[in-house]
Amino acid sequence: MAFPNPFTALTGLFTSKKQPDGAPSTTPAPAPAGTVHLSPEAVEEIGRELDDLRNRISADLGETDRSYILGIIKLQRRLELTGRGLMFLGFFPPAWIAGVGALSASKILDNMEIGHNVMHGQYDWMQDPMVHSSTFEWDNTCPGDQWRHSHNFMHHTYTNILDMDRDIGYGLLRMEHEQEWHPGYLGNPAYAFALMCLFQWGVMLHDLEYDRVLKGERSWEEVKPLLKGWWNKAGRQVTKDYLLHPALTGPLFPLTLAGNATANLIRNVWSFSVIFCGHFPDGAQVFTPEECEDETQGEWYVRQMLGSSNFSGGRIMHIAGGHLGYQIEHHLFPDLPSSRYPEIADEVRAICEKNGLPYNTGPLWKQVANVWGKMFRLALPLPATKSDAPRVIIERREKTDAKAGAETVAA
């Protein structure tokens, strides 16, 4: 079975949406707004329009984008230095609180607007080792190379494809009705809460595919190479946050330790919330592997739009979220600088509206509430609820190579 590179068009088509043999018996929720049928010609036109948009932005990258990311890095470093400095005054409660706030903001910027985006290759064109995807490491327990595999490749290539995109539930949660229910999912909300609080550790373990290891589908020999990366990266993070920096503050060691732990917790909760709001609100579609086999670039684009959700907010909120409030735009163009997503969004939304496609967005608080409500519902074997977004079916067309082959045989 062949799947596309995210930026290389392949020949092929979506099939109409239907359950494959052996798939869970649960069915997607009916859509009150009706079903949208998208013709193959419309899909390819969408692909051309988005290719043009991508090329136009790529050709415009330059000093403004360079200044932006270097400015964010400078801000992040100043916040970290401020936070570390204030920990030396941690005996004074306002200083401790301010220090935790500065460290939290520093870690959020490092992970979201800098680390996540730099490791996507958004600034590789600068040819600067400090912001090159192949060399960058972030303030996180997950080694950069493992994250690039589990996220850049697995998630962004197979976005919302059941049993292939491991971000659907992270091998732990039931996030879609298409996932067959079993009693273990009764703990869905509790698992989600634990993952939220320990999110950097969940990200670290993501490439392990522990559920496949437990089922015997993946041998320990396959995962042993991951262990060295964990030991080195997580070891450095634990030493830095929980030993070295607390020790530097002498008798304030317990207060600094608590401050660093709190900053990590705040970063984890924020990152979890932003990421889950971009993927799991009601209306985000999921797909079967059969539907996505040999898809064209246009079909890949459409799948990204249908499987993603945005949230609205101010400029500071979007910067803190790595501009993943524009998750639809990010899934379309993961290697374009995130600061360009706001200017892209209006054109993407117009393309959706022109073709009758949903553009799933809403205030952050609403998307957060929607996702948590969904996690509670999916903990139980309840029937699917109606979604606000219409169901979209990309109509199948005959493959030209198969048709040509049939004609040759007939001759």
Side-chain angles (χ1 to χ4, degrees):
M1 182 177 296
F3 286 87
N5 179 290
F7 308 111
T8 305
L10 300 179
T11 58
L13 313 159
F14 274 115
T15 60
S16 59
K17 186 76 175 178
K18 60 182 179 181
Q19 292 282 67
D21 293 340
S25 59
T26 51
T27 57
T35 300
V36 175
H37 288 262
L38 202 59
S39 71
E41 293 75 21
V43 170
E44 296 315 303
E45 178 58 27
I46 289 172
R48 285 189 289 272
E49 291 183 62
L50 291 173
D51 278 340
D52 289 344
L53 175 56
R54 172 187 171 78
N55 293 336
R56 183 166 14 106
I57 298 297
S58 296
D60 190 51
L61 298 180
E63 189 57 38
T64 299
D65 305 280
R66 183 192 306 272
S67 297
Y68 174 80
I69 189 60
L70 295 180
I72 291 293
I73 290 172
K74 184 181 294 184
L75 173 61
Q76 181 270 324
R77 291 176 176 176
R78 287 177 176 174
L79 285 168
E80 182 175 8
L81 286 173
T82 299
R84 300 294 181 197
L86 286 170
M87 285 295 116
F88 285 90
L89 302 174
F91 58 86
F92 183 50
W96 186 88
I97 293 171
V100 169
L103 284 176
S104 300
S106 167
K107 288 175 177 289
I108 286 170
L109 282 178
D110 177 274
N111 278 199
M112 304 300 288
E113 185 71 333
I114 302 172
H116 170 269
N117 295 327
V118 167
M119 286 193 288
H120 263 301
Q122 294 182 5
Y123 298 96
D124 284 1
W125 55 272
M126 289 172 54
Q127 296 298 309
D128 184 341
M130 184 173 66
V131 290
H132 199 279
S133 61
S134 63
T135 56
F136 187 87
E137 275 294 346
W138 55 354
D139 183 11
N140 194 295
T141 55
C142 180
D145 61 333
Q146 294 184 28
W147 185 88
R148 286 188 289 270
H149 176 260
S150 63
H151 184 79
N152 286 15
F153 175 68
M154 294 299 295
H155 172 57
H156 277 273
T157 301
Y158 308 125
T159 309
N160 277 34
I161 300 177
L162 293 165
D163 299 324
M164 299 200 72
D165 180 5
R166 292 188 55 76
D167 280 27
I168 301 178
Y170 289 78
L172 179 68
L173 306 172
R174 186 177 185 230
M175 295 306 305
E176 303 294 343
H177 279 282
E178 287 82 354
Q179 295 172 272
E180 186 175 12
W181 183 87
H182 58 71
Y185 284 131
L186 290 170
N188 219 38
Y191 307 151
F193 183 79
L195 178 61
M196 177 178 69
C197 295
L198 302 170
F199 195 54
Q200 70 165 332
W201 296 95
V203 171
M204 185 191 81
L205 294 173
H206 198 28
D207 217 23
L208 170 65
E209 302 183 31
Y210 79 94
D211 52 325
R212 292 186 58 212
V213 174
L214 294 177
K215 293 175 183 176
E217 297 174 356
R218 193 180 191 196
S219 70
W220 279 107
E221 291 298 321
E222 292 181 75
V223 303
K224 277 183 180 179
L226 303 177
L227 303 181
K228 183 178 179 181
W230 297 350
W231 178 261
N232 292 336
K233 187 66 193 300
R236 290 197 299 271
Q237 291 298 119
V238 169
T239 299
K240 174 176 69 73
D241 281 342
Y242 302 130
L243 292 175
L244 177 60
H245 285 294
L248 289 174
T249 59
L252 298 179
F253 184 103
L255 288 172
T256 305
L257 177 66
N260 289 348
T262 302
N264 280 328
L265 175 63
I266 291 171
R267 181 270 316 279
N268 289 345
V269 170
W270 174 251
S271 301
F272 173 95
S273 300
V274 167
I275 291 169
F276 271 56
C277 283
H279 297 89
F280 303 122
D282 287 333
Q285 287 190 203
V286 292
F287 307 85
T288 65
E290 290 75 14
E291 287 178 291
C292 307
E293 188 173 9
D294 296 329
E295 64 187 355
T296 65
Q297 182 68 48
E299 291 162 343
W300 185 86
Y301 277 139
V302 172
R303 172 161 58 86
Q304 303 307 312
M305 293 192 287
L306 297 179
S308 312
S309 302
N310 287 4
F311 64 79
S312 56
R315 176 172 166 77
I316 292 176
M317 179 185 290
H318 282 304
I319 292 174
H323 282 94
L324 294 181
Y326 298 96
Q327 190 73 238
I328 296 170
E329 288 71 26
H330 174 61
H331 272 144
L332 291 172
F333 311 116
D335 63 344
L336 288 184
S338 63
S339 58
R340 292 300 192 105
Y341 296 153
E343 67 182 276
I344 293 172
D346 286 343
E347 292 190 54
V348 172
R349 186 164 195 159
I351 290 171
C352 288
E353 291 176 351
K354 181 174 68 174
N355 291 278
L357 302 180
Y359 187 86
N360 194 347
T361 189
L364 178 60
W365 67 267
K366 184 177 180 180
Q367 299 290 60
V368 169
N370 183 289
V371 169
W372 277 98
K374 187 176 179 182
M375 286 190 284
F376 274 89
R377 291 198 311 272
L378 292 177
L380 303 171
L382 299 174
T385 58
K386 291 184 177 181
S387 165
D388 291 331
R391 181 92 186 139
V392 179
I393 295 176
I394 295 92
E395 296 176 353
R396 187 186 180 96
R397 65 183 177 190
E398 290 187 69
K399 296 181 182 180
T400 55
D401 56 345
K403 185 176 180 180
E407 291 172 350
T408 299
V409 171

